[in-house]
Amino acid sequence: PQPPAGSGGLAPLHDLLRALVAQDASGYFLEPVTEDVAPGYFRVIERPMCFAEMRRRVEAREYRTWRELAADFELICTNATTYNQKRSRVHKAAQ
């Protein structure tokens, strides 16, 4: 598979990440979840993910394919819908 940044530039990945973050108007997925905000989260969710971690991975050039970046975004959504009740704002924002 092709590297997601093509010739090595990170701009396309940063642009995509910015576009995803812009969809999170309430900022639910910007930073890592904590037990204070979501009690029992780490008993339910095996692999937490947030936009801050995705940004770190972009800057560290850890994504080898576009699909890897997309998988982390999907993980944010899956984690949110798994942990939160269907009627919650967070669950609805992740759909």
Coordinates of all heavy atoms in Angstrom, one line a residue:
P1 N 0.8 -1.2 0.0 CA 0.0 0.0 0.0 C 0.9 1.3 0.0 O 1.9 1.3 0.6 CB -0.8 -0.1 1.3 CG -0.7 -1.5 1.7 CD 0.5 -2.1 1.1
Q2 N 0.3 2.3 -0.6 CA 1.0 3.6 -0.7 C 1.0 4.2 0.7 O 0.0 4.2 1.4 CB 0.3 4.5 -1.7 CG 0.4 4.0 -3.1 CD 1.8 4.3 -3.6 OE1 2.6 5.0 -3.1 NE2 2.1 3.7 -4.8
P3 N 2.1 4.9 1.1 CA 2.1 5.7 2.3 C 1.0 6.8 2.2 O 0.8 7.4 1.1 CB 3.5 6.3 2.3 CG 4.3 5.5 1.4 CD 3.4 5.0 0.4
P4 N 0.3 7.1 3.2 CA -0.8 8.1 3.1 C -0.3 9.5 2.8 O -1.1 10.2 2.2 CB -1.4 8.1 4.5 CG -0.4 7.5 5.4 CD 0.5 6.6 4.6
A5 N 0.9 9.8 3.1 CA 1.4 11.2 2.9 C 2.0 11.3 1.5 O 2.6 12.3 1.2 CB 2.4 11.6 4.0
G6 N 1.9 10.3 0.7 CA 2.4 10.3 -0.7 C 3.9 10.5 -0.7 O 4.7 9.6 -0.3
S7 N 4.4 11.7 -1.1 CA 5.8 11.9 -1.2 C 6.5 12.2 0.1 O 7.6 12.7 0.2 CB 6.1 13.0 -2.2 OG 5.5 14.2 -1.7
G8 N 5.8 12.0 1.2 CA 6.4 12.3 2.5 C 5.8 13.5 3.2 O 6.1 13.7 4.4
G9 N 5.0 14.3 2.5 CA 4.5 15.5 3.2 C 3.3 15.1 4.1 O 2.6 14.2 3.8
L10 N 3.2 15.8 5.2 CA 2.1 15.5 6.1 C 0.9 16.3 5.9 O -0.1 16.1 6.6 CB 2.7 15.7 7.6 CG 3.8 14.8 8.0 CD1 4.3 15.1 9.4 CD2 3.4 13.3 7.9
A11 N 1.0 17.3 5.1 CA -0.2 18.2 4.9 C -1.5 17.5 4.6 O -2.5 17.9 5.2 CB 0.2 19.3 3.8
P12 N -1.5 16.5 3.7 CA -2.8 15.9 3.4 C -3.4 15.2 4.6 O -4.6 15.2 4.8 CB -2.5 14.9 2.3 CG -1.2 15.4 1.6 CD -0.5 16.1 2.8
L13 N -2.6 14.6 5.4 CA -3.1 14.0 6.6 C -3.6 15.0 7.6 O -4.6 14.8 8.3 CB -2.0 13.1 7.3 CG -1.6 11.9 6.5 CD1 -0.4 11.1 7.2 CD2 -2.7 10.9 6.3
H14 N -2.8 16.1 7.8 CA -3.3 17.1 8.7 C -4.6 17.7 8.2 O -5.5 18.0 9.0 CB -2.2 18.2 8.9 CG -1.1 17.8 9.8 ND1 -1.3 17.7 11.2 CD2 0.2 17.6 9.6 CE1 -0.2 17.4 11.7 NE2 0.7 17.3 10.8
D15 N -4.7 17.9 6.9 CA -6.0 18.4 6.3 C -7.2 17.5 6.6 O -8.2 17.9 7.0 CB -5.8 18.7 4.8 CG -4.9 19.8 4.5 OD1 -4.6 20.6 5.4 OD2 -4.5 19.9 3.3
L16 N -6.9 16.2 6.4 CA -8.0 15.2 6.7 C -8.4 15.2 8.1 O -9.6 15.2 8.5 CB -7.6 13.8 6.2 CG -8.5 12.7 6.5 CD1 -9.9 13.0 5.9 CD2 -8.0 11.4 6.0
L17 N -7.4 15.2 9.0 CA -7.7 15.2 10.4 C -8.4 16.5 10.8 O -9.4 16.4 11.6 CB -6.3 15.1 11.2 CG -6.5 14.8 12.7 CD1 -7.3 13.5 12.9 CD2 -5.1 14.5 13.3
R18 N -8.0 17.6 10.3 CA -8.7 18.9 10.6 C -10.2 18.8 10.2 O -11.1 19.2 10.9 CB -8.1 20.1 9.9 CG -7.3 21.0 10.8 CD -6.8 22.2 10.1 NE -6.1 22.0 8.9 CZ -4.8 21.8 8.9 NH1 -4.1 21.7 10.0 NH2 -4.1 21.6 7.8
A19 N -10.4 18.2 9.0 CA -11.8 18.0 8.5 C -12.6 17.1 9.5 O -13.8 17.4 9.7 CB -11.8 17.5 7.1
L20 N -12.0 16.1 10.0 CA -12.7 15.2 10.9 C -13.0 15.9 12.2 O -14.1 15.8 12.7 CB -11.9 13.9 11.1 CG -11.7 13.0 9.9 CD1 -10.7 11.9 10.3 CD2 -13.0 12.4 9.5
V21 N -12.0 16.6 12.7 CA -12.2 17.3 14.0 C -13.3 18.4 13.8 O -14.1 18.6 14.8 CB -10.8 18.0 14.4 CG1 -11.1 18.9 15.6 CG2 -9.8 16.9 14.8
A22 N -13.4 19.0 12.7 CA -14.4 20.0 12.5 C -15.8 19.4 12.6 O -16.8 20.1 12.9 CB -14.2 20.6 11.1
Q23 N -16.0 18.1 12.3 CA -17.3 17.4 12.4 C -17.6 17.2 13.9 O -18.8 16.9 14.2 CB -17.2 16.1 11.7 CG -17.0 16.3 10.2 CD -18.0 17.1 9.5 OE1 -19.2 17.0 9.7 NE2 -17.6 18.2 8.8
D24 N -16.7 17.3 14.8 CA -16.9 17.1 16.2 C -17.1 18.4 16.9 O -16.3 18.9 17.7 CB -15.7 16.4 16.8 CG -15.8 16.1 18.3 OD1 -16.9 16.0 18.8 OD2 -14.8 15.9 19.0
A25 N -18.3 19.0 16.6 CA -18.5 20.4 17.1 C -18.5 20.5 18.6 O -18.1 21.6 19.2 CB -19.9 20.9 16.5
S26 N -18.9 19.5 19.3 CA -18.9 19.5 20.8 C -17.6 19.2 21.4 O -17.4 19.3 22.6 CB -20.0 18.5 21.3 OG -21.3 19.0 20.8
G27 N -16.7 18.7 20.6 CA -15.3 18.4 21.1 C -15.3 17.1 22.0 O -14.4 16.9 22.7
Y28 N -16.2 16.2 21.8 CA -16.3 15.0 22.6 C -15.1 14.1 22.4 O -14.6 13.4 23.3 CB -17.5 14.1 22.2 CG -18.8 14.8 22.6 CD1 -19.9 14.8 21.6 CD2 -19.1 15.2 23.9 CE1 -21.1 15.4 22.0 CE2 -20.3 15.8 24.2 CZ -21.3 15.9 23.2 OH -22.5 16.4 23.6
F29 N -14.5 14.1 21.2 CA -13.5 13.2 20.8 C -12.1 13.8 20.6 O -11.2 13.1 20.1 CB -13.9 12.5 19.5 CG -15.3 12.0 19.5 CD1 -16.3 12.5 18.6 CD2 -15.7 11.1 20.4 CE1 -17.6 12.1 18.7 CE2 -17.1 10.6 20.5 CZ -18.0 11.2 19.6
L30 N -11.9 15.0 21.1 CA -10.6 15.7 20.9 C -9.5 15.1 21.8 O -8.4 14.9 21.3 CB -10.8 17.2 21.3 CG -11.6 18.0 20.3 CD1 -11.7 19.4 20.8 CD2 -11.0 17.9 18.9
E31 N -9.8 14.8 23.1 CA -8.8 14.4 24.0 C -9.1 13.0 24.6 O -10.3 12.6 24.5 CB -8.8 15.4 25.2 CG -8.4 16.8 24.8 CD -6.9 16.9 24.3 OE1 -6.1 16.1 24.7 OE2 -6.7 17.7 23.4
P32 N -8.2 12.3 25.2 CA -8.4 11.0 25.7 C -9.5 11.0 26.8 O -9.7 12.0 27.5 CB -7.1 10.6 26.4 CG -6.1 11.5 25.7 CD -6.8 12.8 25.3
V33 N -10.3 9.9 26.8 CA -11.3 9.8 27.8 C -10.7 9.5 29.1 O -9.6 8.8 29.2 CB -12.3 8.6 27.4 CG1 -13.2 8.3 28.5 CG2 -13.0 8.9 26.1
T34 N -11.2 10.0 30.2 CA -10.7 9.7 31.6 C -11.8 9.0 32.4 O -13.0 9.1 32.1 CB -10.3 11.0 32.3 OG1 -11.5 11.8 32.5 CG2 -9.3 11.8 31.5
E35 N -11.4 8.3 33.4 CA -12.3 7.6 34.3 C -13.2 8.7 35.0 O -14.4 8.3 35.3 CB -11.6 6.8 35.3 CG -11.0 5.5 34.8 CD -12.1 4.4 34.5 OE1 -13.1 4.3 35.3 OE2 -11.9 3.7 33.6
D36 N -12.7 9.9 35.2 CA -13.5 10.9 35.9 C -14.8 11.2 35.0 O -15.8 11.5 35.6 CB -12.7 12.2 36.1 CG -11.6 12.0 37.1 OD1 -11.7 11.1 38.0 OD2 -10.7 12.8 37.1
V37 N -14.6 11.3 33.7 CA -15.7 11.6 32.8 C -16.5 10.4 32.5 O -17.7 10.5 32.3 CB -15.1 12.3 31.5 CG1 -16.1 12.5 30.5 CG2 -14.3 13.5 31.8
A38 N -15.9 9.3 32.4 CA -16.6 8.0 31.9 C -16.2 6.9 32.8 O -15.3 6.1 32.5 CB -16.2 7.8 30.5
P39 N -16.8 6.8 34.0 CA -16.5 5.7 34.9 C -16.6 4.3 34.3 O -17.6 4.0 33.6 CB -17.5 5.8 36.0 CG -18.0 7.3 35.9 CD -17.9 7.6 34.5
G40 N -15.6 3.4 34.5 CA -15.6 2.1 33.9 C -15.2 2.0 32.5 O -15.3 0.9 31.9
Y41 N -14.9 3.1 31.9 CA -14.6 3.1 30.4 C -13.5 2.1 30.0 O -13.7 1.4 29.0 CB -14.1 4.5 30.0 CG -13.9 4.7 28.5 CD1 -15.0 5.0 27.7 CD2 -12.6 4.7 28.0 CE1 -14.8 5.2 26.3 CE2 -12.4 4.9 26.6 CZ -13.5 5.1 25.8 OH -13.3 5.3 24.5
F42 N -12.5 2.0 30.8 CA -11.4 1.1 30.4 C -11.7 -0.3 30.7 O -10.9 -1.2 30.3 CB -10.1 1.6 31.1 CG -9.7 3.0 30.6 CD1 -10.0 4.1 31.4 CD2 -9.2 3.2 29.4 CE1 -9.7 5.4 31.0 CE2 -8.9 4.5 28.9 CZ -9.1 5.6 29.7
R43 N -12.8 -0.6 31.4 CA -13.2 -2.0 31.5 C -14.0 -2.4 30.3 O -14.1 -3.6 30.0 CB -14.0 -2.2 32.8 CG -13.2 -2.2 34.1 CD -14.1 -2.6 35.3 NE -15.3 -1.8 35.5 CZ -15.3 -0.7 36.2 NH1 -14.3 -0.3 36.8 NH2 -16.5 -0.1 36.4
V44 N -14.6 -1.5 29.6 CA -15.4 -1.7 28.4 C -14.6 -1.6 27.1 O -14.8 -2.4 26.2 CB -16.6 -0.7 28.4 CG1 -17.5 -0.9 27.2 CG2 -17.5 -0.9 29.7
I45 N -13.8 -0.6 27.1 CA -13.1 -0.2 25.9 C -11.6 -0.7 25.9 O -10.9 -0.2 26.8 CB -13.1 1.3 25.6 CG1 -14.6 1.8 25.5 CG2 -12.3 1.7 24.4 CD1 -15.4 1.1 24.4
E46 N -11.2 -1.6 25.0 CA -9.9 -2.1 25.1 C -8.8 -1.2 24.4 O -7.7 -1.3 24.9 CB -9.9 -3.5 24.3 CG -10.7 -4.6 25.0 CD -10.6 -5.9 24.2 OE1 -9.7 -6.1 23.4 OE2 -11.5 -6.7 24.5
R47 N -9.2 -0.5 23.4 CA -8.3 0.3 22.7 C -8.8 1.8 22.5 O -9.5 2.1 21.5 CB -8.0 -0.3 21.3 CG -6.8 0.4 20.6 CD -6.4 -0.4 19.4 NE -5.6 0.5 18.6 CZ -5.8 0.9 17.4 NH1 -6.8 0.3 16.7 NH2 -5.0 1.7 16.7
P48 N -8.6 2.6 23.5 CA -9.1 4.0 23.4 C -8.4 4.7 22.2 O -7.3 4.4 21.8 CB -8.7 4.6 24.7 CG -8.4 3.5 25.6 CD -8.0 2.4 24.8
M49 N -9.2 5.7 21.7 CA -8.6 6.5 20.6 C -9.3 7.9 20.6 O -10.5 8.0 21.0 CB -8.9 5.9 19.2 CG -8.3 6.6 18.0 SD -6.5 6.9 18.1 CE -5.8 5.3 18.2
C50 N -8.5 8.9 20.3 CA -9.1 10.3 20.2 C -8.3 11.1 19.1 O -7.3 10.6 18.6 CB -8.9 11.0 21.6 SG -7.2 11.2 22.1
F51 N -8.8 12.2 18.8 CA -8.1 13.0 17.8 C -6.7 13.5 18.2 O -5.8 13.6 17.4 CB -9.0 14.3 17.4 CG -10.2 13.9 16.6 CD1 -11.5 14.4 17.0 CD2 -10.2 13.1 15.5 CE1 -12.6 14.1 16.3 CE2 -11.3 12.7 14.8 CZ -12.5 13.2 15.2
A52 N -6.5 13.7 19.5 CA -5.2 14.1 20.0 C -4.2 12.9 19.7 O -3.0 13.2 19.2 CB -5.2 14.4 21.4
E53 N -4.6 11.7 19.9 CA -3.7 10.6 19.6 C -3.5 10.4 18.1 O -2.4 10.1 17.6 CB -4.3 9.3 20.2 CG -3.5 8.0 19.9 CD -2.1 8.0 20.4 OE1 -1.7 8.8 21.2 OE2 -1.3 7.1 19.9
M54 N -4.6 10.6 17.3 CA -4.4 10.6 15.9 C -3.4 11.6 15.4 O -2.6 11.4 14.5 CB -5.8 10.7 15.2 CG -6.7 9.5 15.4 SD -8.3 9.7 14.5 CE -7.8 9.7 12.8
R55 N -3.5 12.8 16.0 CA -2.6 13.9 15.6 C -1.2 13.5 15.9 O -0.2 13.7 15.1 CB -3.0 15.2 16.3 CG -2.1 16.4 15.8 CD -2.6 17.7 16.4 NE -3.9 18.0 15.8 CZ -5.1 18.1 16.4 NH1 -5.1 17.8 17.7 NH2 -6.2 18.4 15.8
R56 N -1.0 12.9 17.1 CA 0.4 12.5 17.5 C 0.9 11.4 16.5 O 2.0 11.5 16.1 CB 0.3 11.9 18.9 CG 1.7 11.5 19.4 CD 1.6 10.5 20.6 NE 1.2 9.2 20.2 CZ 1.8 8.3 19.4 NH1 3.1 8.6 19.0 NH2 1.3 7.1 19.1
R57 N 0.0 10.5 16.1 CA 0.4 9.5 15.2 C 0.7 10.0 13.8 O 1.7 9.6 13.1 CB -0.7 8.4 15.0 CG -0.8 7.6 16.3 CD -1.7 6.4 16.1 NE -0.9 5.4 15.3 CZ -1.5 4.4 14.7 NH1 -2.8 4.2 14.8 NH2 -0.7 3.6 13.9
V58 N 0.0 11.1 13.3 CA 0.3 11.7 12.1 C 1.7 12.4 12.2 O 2.6 12.1 11.3 CB -0.7 12.8 11.7 CG1 -0.2 13.7 10.6 CG2 -2.0 12.2 11.3
E59 N 2.0 13.1 13.2 CA 3.2 13.8 13.4 C 4.4 12.9 13.6 O 5.5 13.2 13.1 CB 3.1 14.8 14.5 CG 2.2 15.9 14.2 CD 1.9 16.8 15.4 OE1 2.4 16.6 16.5 OE2 1.0 17.7 15.2
A60 N 4.2 11.7 14.1 CA 5.2 10.7 14.3 C 5.3 9.8 13.1 O 6.2 8.9 13.1 CB 4.9 9.8 15.5
R61 N 4.5 10.1 12.1 CA 4.5 9.3 10.8 C 4.3 7.8 11.0 O 4.9 6.9 10.4 CB 5.9 9.5 10.1 CG 6.1 10.9 9.6 CD 7.4 11.1 8.9 NE 7.7 12.5 8.6 CZ 7.4 13.0 7.4 NH1 6.9 12.3 6.5 NH2 7.6 14.3 7.2
E62 N 3.4 7.5 11.9 CA 3.0 6.2 12.3 C 2.0 5.5 11.3 O 1.9 4.3 11.2 CB 2.5 6.1 13.7 CG 3.6 6.3 14.7 CD 3.1 6.2 16.1 OE1 2.0 5.6 16.4 OE2 3.8 6.7 17.0
Y63 N 1.2 6.4 10.6 CA 0.3 5.8 9.6 C 1.0 5.5 8.4 O 1.6 6.3 7.7 CB -0.8 6.8 9.3 CG -1.7 7.1 10.5 CD1 -1.8 8.3 11.1 CD2 -2.5 6.1 11.0 CE1 -2.7 8.6 12.2 CE2 -3.4 6.3 12.1 CZ -3.5 7.6 12.7 OH -4.3 7.8 13.7
R64 N 0.9 4.2 8.0 CA 1.5 3.8 6.7 C 0.6 3.8 5.5 O 1.0 3.8 4.4 CB 2.1 2.4 6.9 CG 3.3 2.3 7.9 CD 3.7 0.9 8.1 NE 2.6 0.2 8.6 CZ 2.5 -1.2 8.6 NH1 3.5 -1.9 8.2 NH2 1.4 -1.8 9.0
T65 N -0.7 3.8 5.8 CA -1.7 3.8 4.8 C -2.9 4.7 5.2 O -3.1 5.0 6.4 CB -2.3 2.4 4.5 OG1 -3.0 2.0 5.7 CG2 -1.2 1.4 4.2
W66 N -3.6 5.2 4.2 CA -4.8 6.0 4.5 C -5.8 5.1 5.4 O -6.5 5.6 6.2 CB -5.5 6.4 3.2 CG -4.8 7.5 2.5 CD1 -4.0 7.4 1.4 CD2 -4.8 8.9 2.8 NE1 -3.5 8.6 1.0 CE2 -4.0 9.5 1.9 CE3 -5.4 9.7 3.8 CZ2 -3.7 10.9 1.9 CZ3 -5.1 11.0 3.9 CH2 -4.3 11.6 2.9
R67 N -5.8 3.9 5.1 CA -6.8 2.9 5.8 C -6.5 2.9 7.3 O -7.4 2.8 8.1 CB -6.6 1.5 5.1 CG -7.6 0.6 5.7 CD -9.0 0.9 5.3 NE -9.9 0.2 6.2 CZ -10.8 0.8 7.0 NH1 -10.9 2.1 7.1 NH2 -11.6 0.1 7.8
E68 N -5.2 3.0 7.7 CA -4.9 3.0 9.1 C -5.4 4.2 9.8 O -5.9 4.1 10.9 CB -3.4 2.9 9.3 CG -2.8 1.6 8.9 CD -1.3 1.5 9.1 OE1 -0.6 2.6 9.3 OE2 -0.7 0.4 8.9
L69 N -5.3 5.3 9.1 CA -5.9 6.6 9.7 C -7.4 6.4 9.8 O -8.0 6.7 10.8 CB -5.5 7.8 8.9 CG -5.9 9.1 9.5 CD1 -4.8 10.1 9.3 CD2 -7.2 9.6 8.8
A70 N -8.0 5.9 8.7 CA -9.5 5.8 8.7 C -9.9 4.8 9.8 O -11.0 5.0 10.5 CB -10.0 5.3 7.4
A71 N -9.1 3.7 10.0 CA -9.5 2.7 11.1 C -9.4 3.4 12.5 O -10.3 3.0 13.3 CB -8.5 1.6 11.0
D72 N -8.5 4.3 12.7 CA -8.5 5.0 14.0 C -9.7 5.9 14.2 O -10.3 6.0 15.3 CB -7.2 5.8 14.2 CG -6.1 4.9 14.7 OD1 -6.3 3.7 15.1 OD2 -4.9 5.4 14.8
F73 N -10.1 6.5 13.1 CA -11.4 7.3 13.2 C -12.6 6.4 13.5 O -13.4 6.8 14.3 CB -11.6 8.1 11.9 CG -12.9 8.9 11.9 CD1 -13.1 9.9 12.8 CD2 -13.9 8.5 11.1 CE1 -14.3 10.6 12.8 CE2 -15.1 9.2 11.1 CZ -15.3 10.2 11.9
E74 N -12.6 5.3 12.8 CA -13.7 4.4 13.0 C -13.7 3.9 14.4 O -14.8 3.6 15.0 CB -13.7 3.2 12.0 CG -14.0 3.7 10.6 CD -13.7 2.6 9.5 OE1 -13.3 1.5 9.9 OE2 -13.8 3.0 8.3
L75 N -12.5 3.7 15.0 CA -12.4 3.2 16.4 C -12.9 4.2 17.3 O -13.6 3.9 18.3 CB -10.9 2.9 16.7 CG -10.6 2.4 18.1 CD1 -11.3 1.1 18.3 CD2 -9.1 2.2 18.2
I76 N -12.7 5.5 17.1 CA -13.3 6.6 17.9 C -14.8 6.4 17.9 O -15.4 6.4 19.0 CB -12.9 8.0 17.4 CG1 -11.5 8.3 17.7 CG2 -13.8 9.0 18.1 CD1 -11.0 9.6 17.0
C77 N -15.4 6.2 16.8 CA -16.9 6.1 16.7 C -17.4 4.8 17.3 O -18.4 4.8 18.1 CB -17.3 6.2 15.2 SG -16.9 7.8 14.4
T78 N -16.7 3.7 17.1 CA -17.1 2.4 17.7 C -17.0 2.5 19.2 O -17.9 2.0 19.9 CB -16.2 1.3 17.1 OG1 -16.4 1.2 15.7 CG2 -16.6 0.0 17.7
N79 N -15.9 3.0 19.7 CA -15.8 3.2 21.2 C -16.9 4.0 21.8 O -17.5 3.6 22.8 CB -14.4 3.8 21.5 CG -13.2 2.9 21.3 OD1 -13.4 1.7 21.0 ND2 -12.1 3.4 21.3
A80 N -17.2 5.1 21.1 CA -18.3 6.0 21.6 C -19.6 5.3 21.6 O -20.4 5.4 22.6 CB -18.3 7.3 20.8
T81 N -19.9 4.6 20.6 CA -21.2 3.9 20.5 C -21.3 2.7 21.4 O -22.4 2.3 21.8 CB -21.6 3.6 19.0 OG1 -20.6 2.7 18.5 CG2 -21.8 4.8 18.2
T82 N -20.2 2.1 21.6 CA -20.1 0.9 22.5 C -20.3 1.3 24.0 O -21.1 0.7 24.7 CB -18.8 0.2 22.4 OG1 -18.6 -0.3 21.0 CG2 -18.7 -1.0 23.3
Y83 N -19.6 2.4 24.4 CA -19.7 2.8 25.8 C -20.9 3.6 26.2 O -21.5 3.4 27.2 CB -18.4 3.6 26.2 CG -18.4 4.1 27.6 CD1 -18.1 3.2 28.7 CD2 -18.9 5.3 27.9 CE1 -18.1 3.7 30.0 CE2 -19.0 5.8 29.2 CZ -18.6 4.9 30.3 OH -18.6 5.3 31.6
N84 N -21.3 4.4 25.3 CA -22.4 5.4 25.6 C -23.8 4.8 25.2 O -23.9 4.1 24.3 CB -22.2 6.7 24.9 CG -20.9 7.4 25.4 OD1 -20.9 8.0 26.5 ND2 -19.9 7.3 24.7
Q85 N -24.8 5.2 26.0 CA -26.2 4.8 25.7 C -26.7 5.4 24.4 O -26.3 6.5 24.1 CB -27.1 5.2 26.9 CG -26.8 4.5 28.2 CD -27.7 4.9 29.3 OE1 -28.6 5.8 29.1 NE2 -27.5 4.3 30.4
K86 N -27.5 4.7 23.7 CA -28.0 5.1 22.4 C -28.6 6.5 22.4 O -28.5 7.2 21.4 CB -29.0 4.1 21.8 CG -28.4 2.8 21.4 CD -29.4 1.9 20.7 CE -28.6 0.7 20.2 NZ -29.5 -0.2 19.4
R87 N -29.2 6.9 23.5 CA -29.9 8.2 23.5 C -28.9 9.3 23.9 O -29.3 10.5 23.9 CB -31.1 8.1 24.5 CG -32.3 7.4 23.8 CD -33.4 7.3 24.8 NE -33.4 6.0 25.3 CZ -33.6 5.6 26.6 NH1 -33.8 6.5 27.5 NH2 -33.5 4.4 27.0
S88 N -27.7 9.0 24.3 CA -26.8 10.0 24.7 C -26.3 10.9 23.6 O -26.2 10.4 22.4 CB -25.6 9.4 25.4 OG -24.7 8.8 24.5
R89 N -25.9 12.1 23.9 CA -25.3 13.0 22.9 C -24.1 12.4 22.3 O -23.8 12.6 21.1 CB -25.0 14.3 23.5 CG -26.3 15.1 23.9 CD -25.9 16.4 24.6 NE -27.1 17.0 25.1 CZ -27.1 17.9 26.0 NH1 -26.0 18.4 26.5 NH2 -28.3 18.5 26.4
V90 N -23.2 11.8 23.1 CA -21.9 11.3 22.6 C -22.2 10.1 21.6 O -21.6 10.1 20.5 CB -21.0 10.8 23.7 CG1 -19.7 10.2 23.2 CG2 -20.7 12.0 24.6
H91 N -23.1 9.3 21.9 CA -23.5 8.2 21.0 C -24.0 8.7 19.7 O -23.5 8.3 18.6 CB -24.5 7.3 21.7 CG -24.8 6.0 20.9 ND1 -25.5 6.0 19.7 CD2 -24.4 4.7 21.2 CE1 -25.6 4.7 19.3 NE2 -24.9 3.9 20.2
K92 N -24.9 9.7 19.8 CA -25.4 10.2 18.5 C -24.4 11.0 17.7 O -24.4 10.9 16.5 CB -26.6 11.2 18.9 CG -27.8 10.4 19.4 CD -28.9 11.4 19.8 CE -30.1 10.6 20.4 NZ -31.2 11.4 20.9
A93 N -23.5 11.6 18.4 CA -22.4 12.4 17.7 C -21.5 11.4 16.9 O -20.9 11.8 15.9 CB -21.6 13.2 18.7
A94 N -21.3 10.2 17.4 CA -20.4 9.2 16.8 C -21.0 8.5 15.7 O -20.3 7.8 14.9 CB -20.0 8.2 17.9
Q95 N -22.4 8.6 15.5 CA -23.0 7.9 14.4 C -22.8 8.5 13.1 O -22.6 9.7 12.9 CB -24.5 7.7 14.7 CG -24.8 6.8 15.8 CD -26.2 6.6 16.1 OE1 -27.0 7.6 16.2 NE2 -26.6 5.4 16.2

